[in-house]
Amino acid sequence: NKTLEDYFNTINSDRENNLIIGEVPIGIIDGQNSIFQSRNLFDVSSLEIFSNGLKLFITEDYNTYDSKFIYLNFSPQTGEIITINYKPL
């Protein structure tokens, strides 16, 4: 049986559309850090970010840098889950 954590740590791939779905970005979730990194360069226009399953919005909730870094406008608290979907470059 998979746990919820196993589910969120699994990276799914939509091979037909070359999408990465449900990736947990690299970064510490401790209530202070707000910078995260994807495992691959991403097409900024394809990026979707979710905090505890709720979709975030560019500029309102986050910004990107260099097609790899994500700057959240908040610092997720311990226990929160951040996931991303994107088309890799």
Side-chain angles (χ1 to χ4, degrees), residues 5-89:
E5 185 175 335
D6 292 332
Y7 171 77
F8 283 110
N9 284 322
T10 300
I11 299 173
N12 298 307
S13 177
D14 179 342
R15 295 186 193 282
E16 182 178 320
N17 295 310
N18 193 29
L19 297 175
I20 303 296
I21 300 169
E23 179 179 300
V24 175
I26 299 164
I28 298 170
I29 297 180
D30 62 359
Q32 297 198 12
N33 180 50
S34 63
I35 301 170
F36 295 86
Q37 179 179 341
S38 63
R39 287 171 173 73
N40 305 284
L41 295 176
F42 53 79
D43 174 351
V44 174
S45 68
S46 72
L47 182 65
E48 295 180 312
I49 304 177
F50 300 87
S51 176
N52 293 328
L54 298 175
K55 186 175 180 179
L56 303 180
F57 297 95
I58 192 146
T59 64
E60 183 179 327
D61 298 313
Y62 69 92
N63 286 292
T64 64
Y65 175 74
D66 209 23
S67 295
K68 191 164 183 96
F69 295 97
I70 299 162
Y71 294 84
L72 298 178
N73 294 344
F74 63 97
S75 298
Q77 299 298 307
T78 301
E80 289 188 49
I81 299 169
I82 303 295
T83 57
I84 58 176
N85 302 337
Y86 61 92
K87 184 173 188 170
L89 296 177

